[in-house]
Each structure stands twice: as structure tokens, then as C-alpha cells.
Amino acid sequence: LITMRFVVWGTYCSDVLEKRVPFRQEHLDGLQRQKEAGLLITLGPTADTTQVFGIYEAESQDEIEKSLHADVYWREGIWTELHVYPWIQAL
């Protein structure tokens, strides 16, 4: 099957720096597993911690969405919106 790249944009809840504390290690561990599996290329917050941005590689958008919605940050409301877009890397 052909793998595609996807861009993820989302938003964080207010007071994210405090609210994420009890879930941060679980979140980071999950991201590390995704990276090791070849699913995640990069992911992180904007400098003002209002937006999250990521690049994923997978066979389908559904695979990425399932992975994001399984993340503790989504389940606990740390991420308030997530949008996944198929991406064509020009360079």
C-alpha cells in the first residue's frame, strides 16, 4: 500500500500548561511509540501553546485520526480541535 503524508492542526484548551501536567508523560510516551512505528514524523505546540502542529505518514487519513483520538490529550480535553489534511510535499 502507498503511504501518504498528512498535516495535523489543532488547538489547545485554555490554561494548557497547567492542565496537561497529569497527562504529559502518557502523551509523550504515546508519541514516541508512534514515531518508532513510523507513523509520526513530528508534532508539537506553537510557541504560544495555542495550536498543535504535526506531520504524519500513513496509508489512510482514518489511521491518523484514530491515533489522534486515542491520545490522552484528546480524551482529557487538552486538545480541543484536531484537523487532518492530506499533504503533498513539493520539495
Side-chain angles (χ1 to χ4, degrees):
L1 292 170
I2 297 172
T3 59
M4 298 174 52
R5 287 206 169 169
F6 297 88
V7 172
V8 175
W9 274 109
T11 55
Y12 286 101
C13 65
S14 59
D15 301 323
V16 62
L17 296 179
E18 293 112 32
K19 291 179 181 175
R20 74 179 182 182
V21 170
F23 313 110
R24 188 158 165 70
Q25 193 59 53
E26 180 183 343
H27 170 68
L28 294 174
D29 291 346
L31 294 178
Q32 184 61 41
R33 286 190 298 275
Q34 290 177 14
K35 198 159 183 69
E36 290 168 0
L39 186 66
L40 174 62
I41 295 172
T42 190
L43 185 124
T46 55
D48 64 1
T49 61
T50 61
Q51 306 279 314
V52 61
F53 171 78
I55 300 173
Y56 280 81
E57 192 167 75
E59 294 171 6
S60 72
Q61 185 168 334
D62 187 57
E63 184 179 356
I64 303 306
E65 289 174 354
K66 284 180 181 175
S67 182
L68 290 167
H69 292 147
D71 190 289
V72 68
Y73 274 19
W74 179 256
R75 295 190 326 262
E76 296 294 335
I78 306 303
W79 288 334
T80 56
E81 285 186 63
L82 292 170
H83 303 281
V84 179
Y85 302 97
W87 177 48
I88 299 167
Q89 184 173 346
L91 251 233

